[in-house]
Amino acid sequence: MRILLATVCMLGIFASQAFAAGYGIYEWSARGNALGGTLIARADDPSAVAYNPAGITQLEGINVMGGMTIIAPNATIKVNGPGSDGKGSNTAWTIPHAYYTHQMSDRAWFGLGVFSRVGLGTEYTDDESWAGRYNCSYAGIKAVSVNPNLAFKVTDNLSFAVGFEAMIMEFAFDNATDPRVLSGRTSGYDYDDNTYDIKTKLRAQGWAPGWNVGLHYKPFDWLAFGATYHSQIDMTVEGKAHFDANPGAKGIMSQNNPIATALNSKFGKRSNAQGTAPIPASTSFGVMVKPTDRLSIEIDAIHTDWSSYTDLTFEIDSMGQDIVSDKNWHDTWRYQVGAEYRLYDWMDLRAGYVFDESPIQDEYADYAVPGNDRQMVNTGVGMRFDQWTVDLSYSYLWMKGRDIEARPHDGVPESRLEGGHSHLIGMSVSYSF
């Protein structure tokens, strides 16, 4: 238990960003990664706490699992006009996970998971000349969910689980603005001239509660069904906004005229900031069949209520008004299939495929979440050594390109998302007591 508590603390510090559809994350174990996430109906290892906690009733005694997924994303924003293209950094993000399950009786189980359901890492390497800096030069969400669950066997074949989720989040956002545009002295941004830039860095933290339920039904050894629901979480984060003006902007703000007075009333070096955004509800369904004793195949569908994300609103004290960024995302489906083959008694081979719809509508596409529909192929292996199990996975993700129409009022020039892809490497280690 001491090891588990220490792991929880470490995850709270180091849970990091990901390259996701919207800002959802599904990389909750190496076995799950290799199977394309198809552990909703299987749900037969400790990571079931994340995928479908009702499935932990299949686990005897006490079981623990820990590990991580490393994600190396890359994408380019090609700008049709002045200013530099947006090139993604070569940063690799780490998403850890940890699980604990305990059989309390023949009918009741306890499970605890610490993992990330949402995250985001968008960073542009050349933010001084990057044409999209007036929209976004860096966006990051670091989130960790602490998720205790109780699971019960209703019958020998049917199980039910209910859980509480405490999500802890760090939010970061950097961009720039031009005081000449704000004051109406010029009608648009000079994408290739940062002389007058005012740079904003916003950092905020918060936590919010949620809940989840799960069902698992296994009428035969060769057939199983699973379903889970995660509630919407209304997240509020609080922190500070930092402002730094380039020489040209400082010159305008120092002028003794009505424009300078207005600017100085809005901008300062440090201001309190508060923002709100939803973590959308999601519903997952899965069915698993075993054509042979050694082969299992699962097909899943996950619906996410991204339409709840209508806008991102921040209140900054020195601004005297809310900053509202319209999003108007739409609901999406994620489809996934995975196969597992027991090659030897001590080794399993795995493969999976995922198609993940993007929630972002063309007219609201921006650079904070430069996404589109994505696909993923997955593979991996699981090895058992007495009470130990080691799972390894590799996944390759690629995104469909997207044309982004110019929206000068949002700091978005005409551009195109190209070459969006990621490499994902996962490892989990588990032990059964």
Side-chain angles (χ1 to χ4, degrees):
M1 181 59 72
R2 290 180 181 176
I3 295 174
L4 178 67
L5 291 174
T7 303
V8 169
C9 294
M10 292 294 286
L11 286 172
I13 296 171
F14 293 114
S16 242
Q17 299 102 314
F19 194 30
Y23 45 84
I25 292 178
Y26 304 90
E27 284 69 39
W28 299 328
S29 73
R31 183 186 178 208
N33 297 350
L35 292 170
T38 55
L39 285 176
I40 298 168
R42 287 187 177 95
D44 54 0
D45 72 27
S47 68
V49 175
Y51 292 98
N52 182 2
I56 66 175
T57 59
Q58 302 177 90
L59 305 177
E60 297 181 353
I62 295 175
N63 298 269
V64 294
M65 174 186 284
M68 65 181 64
T69 302
I70 299 172
I71 303 180
N74 207 316
T76 299
I77 305 292
K78 292 285 187 180
V79 178
N80 185 15
S84 298
D85 294 339
K87 297 179 180 178
S89 72
N90 293 321
T91 304
W93 310 110
T94 301
I95 307 174
H97 54 263
Y99 306 102
Y100 170 86
T101 68
H102 184 183
Q103 183 180 5
M104 298 184 294
S105 70
D106 291 340
R107 292 290 175 180
W109 277 255
F110 172 77
L112 175 65
V114 186
F115 55 98
S116 296
R117 284 208 303 120
V118 295
L120 175 67
T122 304
E123 184 174 8
Y124 298 98
T125 56
D126 198 9
D127 63 347
E128 290 290 335
S129 60
W130 150 233
R133 65 189 180 277
Y134 298 113
N135 181 258
C136 176
S137 56
Y138 172 75
I141 294 175
K142 300 180 182 181
V144 59
S145 291
V146 180
N147 182 213
N149 288 265
L150 290 174
F152 305 93
K153 274 194 172 184
V154 181
T155 69
D156 290 341
N157 306 113
L158 177 65
S159 297
F160 168 79
V162 60
F164 169 81
E165 179 176 4
M167 182 178 289
I168 305 161
M169 177 179 289
E170 293 185 9
F171 178 87
F173 188 81
D174 299 349
N175 71 348
T177 192
D178 187 330
R180 299 173 303 167
V181 176
L182 293 181
S183 64
R185 295 177 62 178
T186 181
S187 59
Y189 293 104
D190 290 333
Y191 296 114
D192 58 351
D193 183 5
N194 63 18
T195 303
Y196 299 94
D197 284 5
I198 295 174
K199 303 171 188 175
T200 303
K201 292 181 179 291
L202 193 153
R203 301 293 184 268
Q205 305 81 35
W207 82 277
W211 56 273
N212 61 274
V213 293
L215 284 172
H216 187 263
Y217 180 54
K218 192 173 184 180
F220 308 105
D221 288 340
W222 57 270
L223 179 65
F225 302 91
T228 60
Y229 176 80
H230 286 91
S231 72
Q232 178 172 313
I233 296 176
D234 295 317
M235 179 66 67
T236 297
V237 293
E238 297 180 348
K240 299 288 184 180
H242 304 256
F243 300 96
D244 185 21
N246 282 355
K250 290 179 180 178
I252 291 177
M253 294 170 66
S254 66
Q255 296 173 12
N256 186 19
N257 57 43
I259 294 174
T261 301
L263 289 172
N264 280 316
S265 70
K266 291 183 178 181
F267 292 100
K269 291 184 177 180
R270 250 176 107 85
S271 298
N272 293 327
Q274 178 176 291
T276 58
I279 309 302
S282 66
T283 309
S284 307
F285 309 92
V287 57
M288 184 274 292
V289 295
K290 295 184 68 174
T292 71
D293 288 341
R294 290 184 174 268
L295 175 65
S296 66
I297 300 170
E298 180 170 332
I299 300 174
D300 299 341
I302 301 173
H303 182 268
T304 304
D305 300 341
W306 285 114
S307 57
S308 63
Y309 189 36
T310 58
D311 61 76
L312 176 62
T313 301
F314 261 93
E315 179 183 348
I316 299 177
D317 284 354
S318 62
M319 297 293 290
Q321 60 183 1
D322 291 350
I323 299 175
V324 181
S325 176
D326 291 331
K327 300 300 180 181
N328 294 315
W329 287 7
H330 60 78
D331 293 350
T332 61
W333 284 94
R334 173 184 169 104
Y335 305 100
Q336 48 197 36
V337 58
E340 183 173 63
Y341 182 75
R342 177 154 294 186
L343 183 64
Y344 305 111
D345 289 342
W346 61 274
M347 177 183 286
D348 297 331
L349 302 181
R350 299 157 183 158
Y353 169 78
V354 175
F355 178 80
D356 207 357
E357 294 179 341
S358 169
I360 305 168
Q361 302 189 66
D362 287 341
E363 58 267 37
Y364 295 99
D366 60 21
Y367 305 131
V369 189
N372 206 348
D373 294 347
R374 65 180 195 166
Q375 299 180 72
M376 190 186 309
V377 290
N378 315 273
T379 187
V381 61
M383 296 168 287
R384 288 171 293 279
F385 308 97
D386 296 326
Q387 294 162 286
W388 293 92
T389 301
V390 177
D391 298 311
L392 303 172
S393 68
Y394 170 77
S395 305
Y396 180 75
L397 177 154
W398 68 98
M399 284 198 307
K400 182 181 178 182
R402 164 171 258 155
D403 291 320
I404 301 175
E405 296 183 2
R407 300 198 311 278
H409 60 285
D410 290 329
V412 176
E414 183 180 337
S415 53
R416 177 172 175 78
L417 168 66
E418 294 182 352
H421 68 275
S422 293
H423 300 278
L424 301 88
I425 298 174
M427 182 179 73
S428 300
V429 177
S430 55
Y431 184 84
S432 299
F433 291 89

